[in-house]
Amino acid sequence: MHDETDAESTSGNWSWWPSWRPTSMSLLKSAEAKILACIRNEVWSRFVTLPNQTRIWTLKVTNKTTRKQKEQAAQTPLVMVHGFGGGVGLWIRNLDALSRSRPVYAFDLLGFGRSSRPSFPADASLAEEQFVSSIEQWRESMGLERMILLGHSLGGYLATSYTIQYPERVSHLILVDPWGFPERPQPQVQGSAGQGSEVKRVGPPRWVKALASVFSFFNPLAVIRAAGPWGPGLVNRFRPDFKRKFEDLFDDDTMTQYIYHCNAQNPSGEVGFKAMCESLGWAKRPMVQRVHLLPPLMPVSLLYGSLSWVDSSTGNTVAQIRGKSPTSVTLIEDASHHVYADQPEEFNRVVENICNTVD
């Protein structure tokens, strides 16, 4: 594996933070290296420097055989964009399978994982534009003319925004349990005479609203950093599913350690995400209001986990909005939000079939 890196350090104004939080970019690098060692195909990894000098941590995975590499050169590459709080390591169950017939690229979004962590504006549209602009600058730096663009969760939201702005660069848009598409439901007010049968939506208790109000002042993952040396244990306790999803690959806390180190660094991308959010995780600018801006001939495939908290009916709404434009919705059984890790074989099969429709 070719790995081109520069010296890394944990930035921040508070010199005592690193000793309080048992994390660093070096520890994140080590945790990721253990994960990527499982890849059997050829892996190229490096920081890609953008014009503004921010850096995007990038992987390129290709089939090892010479004959396959020549075939792959003519194939449209698959570019994979992770979700909130994630990084390239979470695709470990997918990279080998999906790179059998075409090159696969995965990168840490700006502000996440090992990529640079710049400041983000508090305005939702400006924060979104900073993410999207970094993806386009990354594509230009990599010299990719066209790509099959796959995004999970937040990555799906950003991939859609990117495709709206740069449709000529995308051959097929694949959205995996995408975040931020539906509009926030409005509380129903009990009608007057003639509407008495309408059911009034029961709102959350006052204490829930009060807590939501307090937490709205903090970044989403602040508790992990505030927990200091107890942070890794906190991730293990509240996200044991990450350990279970990869237990046949690792019999220790490798994956939860990776998640911890991805998110215990100084906040950046999560600040941008927070700017894009209403309370309780709804998008301020729901993507369902903009999917009509996708080119009519742009193929869009939506994949949902049958057990996910993301409402798959939104996919049907997208299909209805797009009318006769090529749009498909697939439900993957026994998968939660992290479809790619819960049912990797089925996920890989579906994605590979989609990619084969391109070339």
Side-chain angles (χ1 to χ4, degrees):
M1 181 171 79
H2 175 64
D3 184 358
E4 181 181 311
T5 63
D6 298 330
E8 298 171 291
S9 62
T10 301
S11 61
N13 297 323
W14 303 93
S15 60
W16 52 273
W17 268 118
S19 61
W20 169 250
R21 292 189 314 231
T23 189
S24 68
M25 280 294 183
S26 295
L27 289 172
L28 172 56
K29 177 182 176 181
S30 298
E32 180 191 83
K34 185 174 180 180
I35 295 169
L36 299 184
C38 297
I39 299 176
R40 297 186 180 89
N41 278 339
E42 193 70 31
V43 182
W44 170 96
S45 60
R46 60 169 289 187
F47 287 104
V48 175
T49 303
L50 306 186
N52 62 4
Q53 299 307 303
T54 56
R55 304 190 305 169
I56 301 296
W57 178 243
T58 304
L59 303 183
K60 178 184 179 182
V61 185
T62 54
N63 197 297
K64 272 187 173 180
T65 68
T66 305
R67 180 182 65 83
K68 284 287 187 180
Q69 284 180 344
K70 290 179 179 178
E71 291 177 2
Q72 283 190 329
Q75 300 292 96
T76 305
L78 171 65
V79 174
M80 307 179 76
V81 187
H82 65 79
F84 175 75
V88 296
L90 294 183
W91 300 117
I92 189 60
R93 288 189 172 281
N94 320 110
L95 294 171
D96 272 330
L98 296 177
S99 61
R100 281 194 293 249
S101 60
R102 70 185 66 245
V104 174
Y105 293 84
F107 61 86
D108 286 346
L109 280 166
L110 186 69
F112 289 102
R114 295 177 63 191
S115 290
S116 294
R117 293 174 174 253
S119 59
F120 274 80
D123 178 81
S125 60
L126 294 178
E128 179 183 329
E129 179 55 32
Q130 185 167 339
F131 280 121
V132 172
S133 177
S134 71
I135 296 174
E136 172 58 7
Q137 290 173 11
W138 172 86
R139 182 205 62 77
E140 288 180 338
S141 299
M142 296 301 296
L144 302 180
E145 287 300 312
R146 289 178 69 82
M147 55 190 167
I148 300 166
L149 187 57
L150 180 152
H152 169 252
S153 196
L154 170 62
Y157 182 93
L158 297 175
T160 306
S161 180
Y162 175 90
T163 304
I164 290 171
Q165 292 191 49
Y166 305 99
E168 71 280 4
R169 301 302 181 187
V170 180
S171 299
H172 198 122
L173 178 62
I174 305 175
L175 305 175
V176 184
D177 240 49
W179 168 85
F181 272 63
E183 297 174 320
R184 184 177 185 178
Q186 296 301 313
Q188 295 178 357
V189 181
Q190 189 166 1
S192 54
Q195 295 179 322
S197 59
E198 187 176 357
V199 178
K200 183 177 181 180
R201 186 186 298 271
V202 178
R206 286 185 179 179
W207 67 268
V208 172
K209 292 180 179 179
L211 278 178
S213 177
V214 170
F215 280 109
S216 68
F217 292 101
F218 298 93
N219 291 314
L221 300 172
V223 65
I224 293 177
R225 292 179 291 274
W230 296 279
L234 207 61
V235 175
N236 269 326
R237 179 176 180 182
F238 288 100
R239 293 309 306 265
D241 56 311
F242 270 108
K243 185 174 182 178
R244 290 195 300 268
K245 293 177 199 299
F246 302 93
E247 61 187 0
D248 60 323
L249 295 177
F250 309 102
D251 58 3
D252 56 12
D253 295 337
T254 295
M255 293 308 297
T256 50
Q257 284 289 321
Y258 175 69
I259 292 295
Y260 171 74
H261 290 304
C262 274
N263 295 295
Q265 314 297 325
N266 291 330
S268 171
E270 69 178 278
V271 175
F273 175 74
K274 181 175 181 290
M276 293 157 59
C277 282
E278 295 274 17
S279 61
L280 304 178
W282 296 93
K284 288 181 180 177
R285 305 177 70 227
M287 193 57 68
V288 75
Q289 298 175 353
R290 286 182 278 163
V291 290
H292 69 281
L293 299 176
L294 289 166
L297 296 181
M298 175 66 66
V300 178
S301 298
L302 297 107
L303 280 59
Y304 291 92
S306 65
L307 306 178
S308 175
W309 54 266
V310 174
D311 186 358
S312 62
S313 68
T314 306
N316 298 324
T317 302
V318 171
Q320 291 172 3
I321 292 171
R322 301 197 75 219
K324 295 182 179 179
S325 297
T327 310
S328 66
V329 181
T330 302
L331 198 65
I332 295 184
E333 295 297 329
D334 298 321
S336 66
H337 182 52
H338 295 274
V339 187
Y340 56 89
D342 289 325
Q343 297 296 332
E345 290 184 5
E346 180 64 8
F347 173 84
N348 294 339
R349 184 190 68 80
V350 171
V351 171
E352 190 170 29
N353 286 344
I354 293 171
C355 291
N356 289 340
T357 66
V358 176
D359 52 28

